[in-house]
């Protein structure tokens, strides 16, 4: 039986991946409706119950072998892509779905339409082999808005969806990722006092305070290299944006710095913010400014116990398909696994064809061989979790 479910249909997988790339689902603006309907039709053809869950001009596509609200195994991935950006940067059309030299090119080929196609390839192989899904069944959810605010997965979870295990489809180069970094985006705003720039001694220059703060963040970025996660390495911090001043002859009364922090599992929002406030407070005391910190975005990090069944089953699947010891690894970016683990308590891994380095750039591509291998791996994971007793 196992050998049969590894008979994936390469032509089908490549055709689905190429057709998915040809449907533009750039986010922003967030246009998932068309690709969601296309996918729901394909999933129905494979014998699953499939629906498009439309909300606020966005759409999730959800398919199930049993219930929509509960699953023994969830395959989660996303419909949206980052924008293609400047067309001149591309040497091939971003929405052409072009296949050349063993690669599929186009926006979303790696992140994450290749994952969707491989998941469908796995479901087709299982359907073709006539395997029966046991237990709580399978749900495939291809959700909206992973690249911006993760509205899609948050909607799924807030409506009560639960699963025993999940595989999150993101480009990991077929590595089994059991942890990912979190992301905090904060604005730190300094308030000083305006003055005419002919009399700067009457003002408090907030731009100087914010500059000092930005340089202190650079120093802090060196100190945090001491923290270390076995799979993810140290956290990362950068000052990424700076705003100050209204007129060229005024001492600026305010200035703000945006800080982007990539957090390790175990790091808490409050603790990270405390450190920023400590650094900003020192600047205030030296310069007479006041500061406030505004959290723009917080996606908590997450990790799963490497001894969890989902990790064992995935590792065994990778070993069987790739014929070498699986690499258990960490995912440097944030992804929707955060919400599954932190908000719904679902033990999850991240695994998919393509590499993060190929994503989010011009001439994005994914290797056809990896699409095919991923489909076999997904099929074995589904079989291992749901069908093997
Ligand atoms: Zn992605």
């Amino acid at each position: 039986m196992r050998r049969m479910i590894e008979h994936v249909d390469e032509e089908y997988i490549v055709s689905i991946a190429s057709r998915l790339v040809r449907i533009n689902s750039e986010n922003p603006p967030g246009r998932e409706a068309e690709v969601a309907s296309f996918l729901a039709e394909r999933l129905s053809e494979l014998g699953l119950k499939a629906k498009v869950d439309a909300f606020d001009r966005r759409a999730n596509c959800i398919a199930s072998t049993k219930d929509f609200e509960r699953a023994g195994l969830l395959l989660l991935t996303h419909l949206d892509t980052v924008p293609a950006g400047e067309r001149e940067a591309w040497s091939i059309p971003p929405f052409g779905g072009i296949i050349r030299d063993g690669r599929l090119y186009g926006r979303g080929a790696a992140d994450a339409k290749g994952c969707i196609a491989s998941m469908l390839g796995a479901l087709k192989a299982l359907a073709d082999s006539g395997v029966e899904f046991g237990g709580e069944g399978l749900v495939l959810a291809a959700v909206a808005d992973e690249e911006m605010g993760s509205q899609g997965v948050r909607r799924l979870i807030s409506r009560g969806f639960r699963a025993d295990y999940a595989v999150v489809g993101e480009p990991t180069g077929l590595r089994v990722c059991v942890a990912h970094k979190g992301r905090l985006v904060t604005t730190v705003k300094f308030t000083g006092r305006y003055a005419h720039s002919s009399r700067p001694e009457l003002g408090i220059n907030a731009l100087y305070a914010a500059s000092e703060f930005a340089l202190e963040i650079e120093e802090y970025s060196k100190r945090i290299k001491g923290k270390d996660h076995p799979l993810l390495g140290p956290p990362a911090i950068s000052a990424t944006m700076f705003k100050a001043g209204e007129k060229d002859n005024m001492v600026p009364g305010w200035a703000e710095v945006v800080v982007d922090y990539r957090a390790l599992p175990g790091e808490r929002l409050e603790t990270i913010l405390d450190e920023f406030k400590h650094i900003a407070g020192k600047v205030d005391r030296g310069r007479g400014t006041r500061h406030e910190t505004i959290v723009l975005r917080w996606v908590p990090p997450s990790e799963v116990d490497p001894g969890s069944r989902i990790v064992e089953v995935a590792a065994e699947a990778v070993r069987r398909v790739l014929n070498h010891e699986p690499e258990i690894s960490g995912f440097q970016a944030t992804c929707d696994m955060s919400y599954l683990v932190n908000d719904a308590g679902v033990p999850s891994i991240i695994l998919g064809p393509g590499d993060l380095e190929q994503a989010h750039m011009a001439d994005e591509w994914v290797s056809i061989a990896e699409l095919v291998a991923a489909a076999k791996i997904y099929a074995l994971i589904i079989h291992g979790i749901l069908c093997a007793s």
Side-chain angles (χ1 to χ4, degrees):
M1 182 58 85
R2 282 232 233 135
R3 186 162 301 148
M4 277 197 65
I5 60 177
E6 285 172 65
H7 278 160
V8 300
D9 183 341
E10 173 168 340
E11 208 175 305
Y12 174 80
I13 296 164
V14 173
S15 143
I16 294 288
S18 167
R19 290 167 77 188
L20 286 168
V21 167
R22 274 179 266 155
I23 305 172
N24 179 328
S25 57
E26 291 173 304
N27 182 22
R31 31 187 293 174
E32 292 95 356
E34 190 186 346
V35 72
S37 324
F38 168 81
L39 193 57
E41 284 168 28
R42 301 292 80 73
L43 286 157
S44 303
E45 285 168 4
L46 295 175
L48 281 83
K49 294 190 286 184
K51 66 174 182 184
V52 173
D53 177 25
F55 60 99
D56 304 335
R57 284 180 286 170
R58 312 303 290 264
N60 288 344
C61 171
I62 304 168
S64 172
T65 59
K66 202 171 171 193
D67 297 320
F68 284 119
E69 291 76 30
R70 148 118 224 99
L73 178 66
L74 166 70
L75 302 180
L76 179 81
T77 185
H78 60 93
L79 296 167
D80 59 319
T81 70
V82 294
E86 297 273 329
R87 290 299 185 274
E88 296 75 47
W90 290 73
S91 70
I92 36 134
F95 301 105
I98 289 166
I99 292 142
R100 190 183 292 164
D101 304 328
R103 294 173 171 183
L104 166 69
Y105 285 90
R107 176 51 84 231
D111 188 11
K113 289 175 170 172
C115 298
I116 302 177
S118 295
M119 286 174 178
L120 262 64
L123 293 174
K124 182 168 188 296
L126 290 162
D128 290 347
S129 71
V131 102
E132 294 281 330
F133 293 97
E136 298 280 1
L138 176 93
V139 165
L140 185 151
V143 296
D145 198 36
E146 192 275 339
E147 299 289 359
M148 297 280 290
S150 289
Q151 292 178 62
V153 70
R154 289 194 285 135
R155 176 179 170 87
L156 187 73
I157 291 168
S158 70
R159 289 158 74 95
F161 177 82
R162 290 297 177 267
D164 294 339
Y165 299 104
V167 176
V168 179
E170 290 285 353
T172 69
L174 304 180
R175 285 177 285 274
V176 180
C177 293
V178 297
H180 69 88
K181 281 183 179 169
R183 181 174 187 227
L184 170 64
V185 188
T186 322
T187 295
V188 181
K189 180 174 180 176
F190 289 87
T191 307
R193 191 188 316 124
Y194 288 103
H196 195 283
S197 53
S198 65
R199 298 292 307 280
E201 70 278 11
L202 298 179
I204 298 175
N205 193 322
L207 189 156
Y208 293 154
S211 305
E212 185 182 332
F213 175 76
L215 293 173
E216 285 295 331
I217 290 294
E218 188 187 16
E219 284 306 309
Y220 183 56
S221 75
K222 297 169 192 162
R223 292 202 298 279
I224 57 173
K225 294 226 158 55
K227 298 184 191 178
D228 195 39
H229 184 279
L231 298 175
L232 293 166
I237 187 170
S238 302
T240 52
M241 291 171 81
F242 195 99
K243 244 191 265 173
E246 275 150 59
K247 239 172 147 276
D248 58 12
N249 62 354
M250 272 165 76
V251 170
W254 65 268
E256 47 185 56
V257 182
V258 173
V259 179
D260 177 304
Y261 186 84
R262 302 305 173 114
L264 298 181
E267 289 193 292
R268 292 177 51 246
L269 175 63
E270 294 71 27
T271 323
I272 304 165
L273 285 177
D274 280 350
E275 191 58 43
F276 294 1
K277 287 175 190 163
H278 174 74
I279 296 169
K282 244 174 43 191
V283 172
D284 281 343
R285 284 193 294 283
R287 296 188 172 269
T289 46
R290 280 177 293 117
H291 81 271
E292 62 179 314
T293 45
I294 304 144
V295 174
L296 302 179
R297 187 148 193 234
W298 169 239
V299 182
S302 74
E303 64 185 334
V304 65
D305 177 358
S308 169
R309 181 158 171 242
I310 185 67
V311 181
E312 280 171 11
V313 170
E316 174 56 31
V318 169
R319 189 178 293 122
R320 190 175 161 88
V321 173
L322 300 183
N323 244 322
H324 62 67
E325 268 312 292
E327 201 180 321
I328 306 295
S329 142
F331 194 63
Q332 290 294 331
T334 58
C335 69
D336 281 346
M337 170 169 161
S338 173
Y339 302 95
L340 290 178
V341 173
N342 293 304
D343 298 345
V346 183
S348 309
I349 57 157
I350 314 163
L351 170 65
D355 263 297
L356 265 185
E357 290 81 62
Q358 293 149 216
H360 294 210
M361 44 184 278
D363 291 349
E364 178 175 346
W365 60 274
V366 67
S367 121
I368 305 286
E370 273 195 27
L371 289 180
V372 171
K376 293 180 186 177
I377 292 167
Y378 289 146
L380 287 172
I381 295 174
I382 297 167
H383 187 262
I385 294 287
L386 295 178
C387 308
S389 49

Coordinates of all heavy atoms in Angstrom, one line a residue, residues 78-136:
H78 N -1.1 28.6 2.3 CA -1.8 29.9 2.0 C -1.9 30.2 0.6 O -1.1 29.8 -0.3 CB -1.1 31.1 2.8 CG 0.4 31.3 2.4 ND1 0.8 32.2 1.4 CD2 1.5 30.8 2.9 CE1 2.1 32.2 1.4 NE2 2.6 31.3 2.2
L79 N -3.0 31.0 0.3 CA -3.3 31.3 -1.1 C -2.7 32.6 -1.6 O -2.5 32.7 -2.8 CB -4.9 31.5 -1.2 CG -5.8 30.3 -0.9 CD1 -7.2 30.8 -0.7 CD2 -5.7 29.3 -2.0
D80 N -2.3 33.5 -0.7 CA -1.8 34.8 -1.1 C -0.3 34.7 -1.4 O 0.4 33.8 -0.9 CB -2.1 35.8 -0.1 CG -1.5 35.5 1.3 OD1 -1.6 34.4 1.7 OD2 -1.0 36.4 2.0
T81 N 0.1 35.6 -2.2 CA 1.6 35.8 -2.4 C 2.0 37.2 -2.2 O 1.1 38.1 -2.2 CB 1.9 35.5 -3.9 OG1 1.4 36.6 -4.7 CG2 1.4 34.2 -4.4
V82 N 3.2 37.5 -2.0 CA 3.7 38.9 -2.0 C 3.5 39.4 -3.4 O 3.5 38.7 -4.4 CB 5.1 39.1 -1.5 CG1 5.2 38.7 0.0 CG2 6.1 38.3 -2.3
P83 N 3.4 40.8 -3.6 CA 3.3 41.3 -4.9 C 4.5 41.0 -5.8 O 5.6 40.8 -5.3 CB 3.2 42.9 -4.6 CG 2.7 43.0 -3.2 CD 3.3 41.8 -2.5
A84 N 4.2 41.0 -7.1 CA 5.3 40.7 -8.0 C 6.3 41.8 -8.1 O 7.5 41.6 -8.4 CB 4.7 40.4 -9.4
G85 N 5.8 43.0 -7.8 CA 6.7 44.2 -7.9 C 7.0 44.6 -9.3 O 6.3 44.3 -10.2
E86 N 8.2 45.3 -9.5 CA 8.6 45.8 -10.8 C 8.7 44.7 -11.8 O 9.5 43.8 -11.6 CB 10.0 46.5 -10.6 CG 10.0 47.7 -9.7 CD 9.6 49.0 -10.4 OE1 10.0 49.1 -11.7 OE2 9.0 49.9 -9.8
R87 N 8.0 44.9 -12.9 CA 8.0 43.8 -14.0 C 9.4 43.8 -14.6 O 9.8 42.7 -15.1 CB 7.0 44.1 -15.1 CG 5.5 43.9 -14.6 CD 5.3 42.5 -14.2 NE 3.9 42.3 -13.9 CZ 3.3 42.5 -12.7 NH1 4.0 43.0 -11.7 NH2 2.0 42.3 -12.5
E88 N 10.1 44.9 -14.7 CA 11.4 44.9 -15.3 C 12.4 44.0 -14.6 O 13.4 43.6 -15.2 CB 12.0 46.4 -15.3 CG 11.2 47.4 -16.2 CD 9.9 47.8 -15.4 OE1 10.0 48.1 -14.2 OE2 8.8 47.8 -16.1
A89 N 12.2 43.8 -13.3 CA 13.1 43.0 -12.5 C 13.0 41.5 -12.9 O 13.9 40.7 -12.7 CB 12.8 43.1 -11.0
W90 N 11.9 41.1 -13.6 CA 11.6 39.7 -13.9 C 12.1 39.5 -15.4 O 11.9 40.2 -16.3 CB 10.1 39.4 -13.9 CG 9.6 39.4 -12.5 CD1 9.3 40.5 -11.7 CD2 9.1 38.2 -11.8 NE1 8.8 40.0 -10.5 CE2 8.6 38.7 -10.5 CE3 9.1 36.8 -12.0 CZ2 8.2 37.8 -9.5 CZ3 8.7 36.0 -11.1 CH2 8.2 36.5 -9.8
S91 N 12.8 38.3 -15.5 CA 13.2 38.0 -16.9 C 12.1 37.1 -17.6 O 12.2 36.8 -18.8 CB 14.5 37.2 -16.9 OG 14.4 35.9 -16.3
I92 N 11.1 36.6 -16.8 CA 10.0 35.9 -17.3 C 8.7 36.4 -16.7 O 8.8 37.0 -15.6 CB 10.1 34.4 -17.0 CG1 10.7 34.2 -15.6 CG2 10.9 33.6 -18.0 CD1 10.0 33.3 -14.8
P93 N 7.6 36.3 -17.3 CA 6.4 36.9 -16.8 C 6.0 36.3 -15.4 O 6.0 35.0 -15.3 CB 5.3 36.6 -17.8 CG 5.9 35.9 -18.9 CD 7.3 35.6 -18.6
P94 N 5.7 37.1 -14.4 CA 5.5 36.5 -13.0 C 4.2 35.7 -12.9 O 4.1 34.9 -12.0 CB 5.4 37.8 -12.2 CG 5.2 38.9 -13.1 CD 5.8 38.6 -14.4
F95 N 3.3 35.9 -13.9 CA 2.0 35.1 -13.8 C 1.9 34.2 -15.0 O 0.7 33.9 -15.4 CB 0.8 36.1 -13.6 CG 1.0 36.9 -12.3 CD1 1.3 38.2 -12.4 CD2 0.8 36.3 -11.1 CE1 1.5 39.0 -11.2 CE2 1.0 37.0 -9.9 CZ 1.3 38.4 -10.0
G96 N 3.0 33.8 -15.6 CA 2.9 33.0 -16.8 C 2.8 31.5 -16.5 O 2.4 30.7 -17.3
G97 N 3.3 31.1 -15.3 CA 3.3 29.7 -14.9 C 4.2 28.9 -15.8 O 3.9 27.7 -16.2
I98 N 5.3 29.5 -16.2 CA 6.2 28.9 -17.2 C 7.1 27.8 -16.6 O 7.7 28.0 -15.5 CB 7.1 30.0 -17.9 CG1 6.2 30.9 -18.8 CG2 8.2 29.4 -18.7 CD1 6.7 32.1 -19.2
I99 N 7.3 26.7 -17.3 CA 8.1 25.6 -16.9 C 9.3 25.6 -17.8 O 9.2 25.5 -19.0 CB 7.4 24.3 -16.9 CG1 6.3 24.3 -15.8 CG2 8.3 23.1 -16.7 CD1 5.0 23.7 -16.2
R100 N 10.5 25.6 -17.2 CA 11.7 25.6 -18.0 C 12.8 24.9 -17.2 O 13.0 25.2 -16.0 CB 12.1 27.0 -18.3 CG 13.2 27.2 -19.3 CD 13.6 28.7 -19.4 NE 12.5 29.5 -20.1 CZ 12.5 30.8 -20.0 NH1 13.4 31.5 -19.4 NH2 11.5 31.4 -20.7
D101 N 13.6 24.0 -17.8 CA 14.7 23.3 -17.2 C 14.4 22.7 -15.9 O 15.2 22.9 -14.9 CB 15.9 24.3 -17.1 CG 16.3 24.9 -18.4 OD1 16.1 24.2 -19.5 OD2 16.7 26.1 -18.5
G102 N 13.3 22.0 -15.8 CA 13.0 21.4 -14.5 C 12.5 22.3 -13.4 O 12.5 21.9 -12.2
R103 N 12.2 23.5 -13.7 CA 11.7 24.4 -12.7 C 10.4 25.1 -13.2 O 10.2 25.3 -14.4 CB 12.7 25.6 -12.5 CG 14.0 25.1 -11.9 CD 14.9 26.3 -11.9 NE 16.2 26.0 -11.2 CZ 17.1 26.9 -11.0 NH1 17.0 28.2 -11.5 NH2 18.2 26.6 -10.3
L104 N 9.5 25.4 -12.2 CA 8.3 26.2 -12.4 C 8.7 27.6 -12.0 O 9.1 27.8 -10.8 CB 7.1 25.7 -11.7 CG 5.9 26.6 -11.6 CD1 5.3 26.8 -12.9 CD2 4.9 26.1 -10.6
Y105 N 8.5 28.6 -12.8 CA 8.8 30.0 -12.5 C 7.5 30.8 -12.3 O 6.5 30.5 -12.9 CB 9.5 30.7 -13.6 CG 11.0 30.3 -13.7 CD1 11.4 29.2 -14.5 CD2 12.0 30.9 -13.0 CE1 12.7 28.8 -14.6 CE2 13.3 30.6 -13.1 CZ 13.7 29.5 -13.9 OH 15.0 29.1 -13.9
G106 N 7.6 31.8 -11.4 CA 6.5 32.7 -11.2 C 6.3 33.1 -9.8 O 6.7 32.4 -8.9
R107 N 5.5 34.2 -9.6 CA 5.2 34.7 -8.2 C 4.4 33.6 -7.5 O 3.4 33.2 -8.0 CB 4.5 36.0 -8.3 CG 4.1 36.5 -6.9 CD 5.2 36.5 -5.9 NE 6.0 37.7 -5.9 CZ 7.4 37.7 -6.0 NH1 8.0 36.5 -6.0 NH2 8.1 38.8 -6.0
G108 N 4.9 33.2 -6.4 CA 4.2 32.2 -5.6 C 4.6 30.7 -5.9 O 4.2 29.8 -5.2
A109 N 5.5 30.5 -6.9 CA 5.9 29.2 -7.3 C 6.4 28.4 -6.0 O 6.1 27.3 -5.7 CB 7.0 29.2 -8.4
A110 N 7.3 29.1 -5.3 CA 7.9 28.5 -4.0 C 7.0 28.8 -2.8 O 6.8 28.0 -2.0 CB 9.3 29.0 -3.8
D111 N 6.5 30.0 -2.8 CA 5.8 30.5 -1.6 C 4.4 30.9 -1.9 O 4.2 32.1 -2.2 CB 6.6 31.6 -0.9 CG 6.1 32.0 0.4 OD1 5.2 31.4 1.0 OD2 6.5 33.1 0.9
A112 N 3.3 30.1 -1.8 CA 3.4 28.7 -1.4 C 2.6 27.9 -2.3 O 2.0 26.8 -1.9 CB 2.8 28.6 0.1
K113 N 2.5 28.3 -3.6 CA 1.6 27.6 -4.5 C 2.2 26.2 -4.9 O 1.4 25.2 -5.1 CB 1.3 28.4 -5.8 CG 0.4 29.6 -5.4 CD 0.1 30.5 -6.5 CE -1.0 31.5 -6.1 NZ -1.2 32.6 -7.0
G114 N 3.5 26.1 -4.8 CA 4.1 24.8 -5.0 C 3.6 23.8 -3.9 O 3.4 22.6 -4.1
C115 N 3.6 24.3 -2.7 CA 3.1 23.5 -1.5 C 1.7 23.0 -1.8 O 1.3 21.8 -1.5 CB 3.1 24.3 -0.2 SG 4.8 24.8 0.3
I116 N 0.8 23.9 -2.3 CA -0.6 23.6 -2.5 C -0.6 22.4 -3.6 O -1.3 21.4 -3.4 CB -1.4 24.8 -3.0 CG1 -1.4 25.9 -2.0 CG2 -2.9 24.4 -3.3 CD1 -2.1 27.2 -2.5
A117 N 0.1 22.6 -4.6 CA 0.1 21.6 -5.7 C 0.6 20.2 -5.2 O 0.0 19.2 -5.6 CB 1.0 22.1 -6.9
S118 N 1.6 20.2 -4.4 CA 2.1 19.0 -3.8 C 1.1 18.3 -2.9 O 1.0 17.1 -2.9 CB 3.4 19.2 -3.1 OG 4.5 19.7 -3.9
M119 N 0.4 19.2 -2.1 CA -0.7 18.6 -1.3 C -1.7 17.9 -2.1 O -2.2 16.9 -1.8 CB -1.2 19.7 -0.4 CG -0.3 20.2 0.7 SD -1.0 21.6 1.7 CE 0.3 21.8 2.9
L120 N -2.1 18.6 -3.2 CA -3.1 18.0 -4.1 C -2.6 16.7 -4.7 O -3.3 15.8 -4.9 CB -3.6 19.0 -5.2 CG -4.9 19.8 -4.9 CD1 -4.7 20.6 -3.6 CD2 -5.4 20.6 -6.0
G121 N -1.3 16.7 -5.1 CA -0.7 15.5 -5.6 C -0.8 14.4 -4.7 O -1.0 13.2 -5.0
A122 N -0.6 14.7 -3.4 CA -0.6 13.7 -2.3 C -2.1 13.1 -2.2 O -2.3 11.9 -2.2 CB -0.2 14.2 -1.0
L123 N -3.0 14.0 -2.2 CA -4.4 13.6 -2.1 C -4.9 12.8 -3.3 O -5.6 11.8 -3.2 CB -5.3 14.8 -1.9 CG -5.1 15.6 -0.6 CD1 -6.0 16.9 -0.6 CD2 -5.5 14.7 0.6
K124 N -4.4 13.1 -4.5 CA -4.7 12.4 -5.7 C -4.1 11.0 -5.6 O -4.8 10.0 -5.9 CB -4.2 13.1 -6.9 CG -4.6 12.3 -8.2 CD -4.4 13.2 -9.4 CE -4.9 12.5 -10.7 NZ -4.3 11.3 -11.0
A125 N -2.9 10.9 -5.1 CA -2.2 9.5 -5.0 C -3.0 8.7 -4.0 O -3.2 7.5 -4.3 CB -0.8 9.7 -4.5
L126 N -3.4 9.3 -2.9 CA -4.2 8.5 -2.0 C -5.6 8.1 -2.5 O -6.0 6.9 -2.4 CB -4.4 9.3 -0.7 CG -3.2 9.5 0.1 CD1 -3.3 10.7 1.1 CD2 -2.8 8.3 0.9
A127 N -6.2 9.0 -3.3 CA -7.5 8.6 -3.9 C -7.3 7.5 -4.9 O -8.1 6.6 -5.0 CB -8.1 9.9 -4.6
D128 N -6.2 7.7 -5.8 CA -6.0 6.6 -6.8 C -5.7 5.3 -6.2 O -6.0 4.2 -6.8 CB -4.8 7.1 -7.7 CG -5.1 8.3 -8.5 OD1 -6.3 8.6 -8.7 OD2 -4.2 8.9 -9.1
S129 N -5.1 5.3 -5.0 CA -4.7 4.0 -4.4 C -5.9 3.4 -3.6 O -5.8 2.3 -3.1 CB -3.5 4.1 -3.5 OG -3.9 4.8 -2.3
G130 N -7.0 4.2 -3.5 CA -8.2 3.7 -2.8 C -8.1 3.6 -1.3 O -8.9 2.9 -0.7
V131 N -7.1 4.3 -0.7 CA -6.9 4.2 0.7 C -8.1 4.9 1.5 O -8.7 5.8 1.0 CB -5.6 4.9 1.0 CG1 -5.7 6.3 1.6 CG2 -4.8 4.0 1.9
E132 N -8.4 4.3 2.6 CA -9.5 4.8 3.4 C -8.9 5.7 4.5 O -8.0 5.3 5.2 CB -10.3 3.7 4.1 CG -11.1 2.8 3.1 CD -12.4 3.5 2.6 OE1 -13.0 4.3 3.4 OE2 -12.8 3.2 1.5
F133 N -9.5 6.9 4.7 CA -9.0 7.8 5.8 C -9.6 7.3 7.1 O -10.9 7.2 7.2 CB -9.3 9.2 5.5 CG -8.6 9.8 4.4 CD1 -9.1 9.8 3.1 CD2 -7.3 10.2 4.5 CE1 -8.4 10.3 2.0 CE2 -6.5 10.7 3.4 CZ -7.1 10.8 2.2
G134 N -8.8 7.1 8.1 CA -9.4 6.7 9.4 C -9.5 7.9 10.3 O -9.3 9.0 10.0
G135 N -9.9 7.6 11.6 CA -9.9 8.6 12.6 C -10.7 9.8 12.4 O -11.8 9.7 11.8
E136 N -10.2 10.9 12.8 CA -10.9 12.2 12.6 C -10.8 12.8 11.3 O -11.4 13.8 11.0 CB -10.3 13.2 13.6 CG -10.4 12.8 15.1 CD -11.9 13.0 15.6 OE1 -12.7 13.5 14.9 OE2 -12.1 12.8 16.8

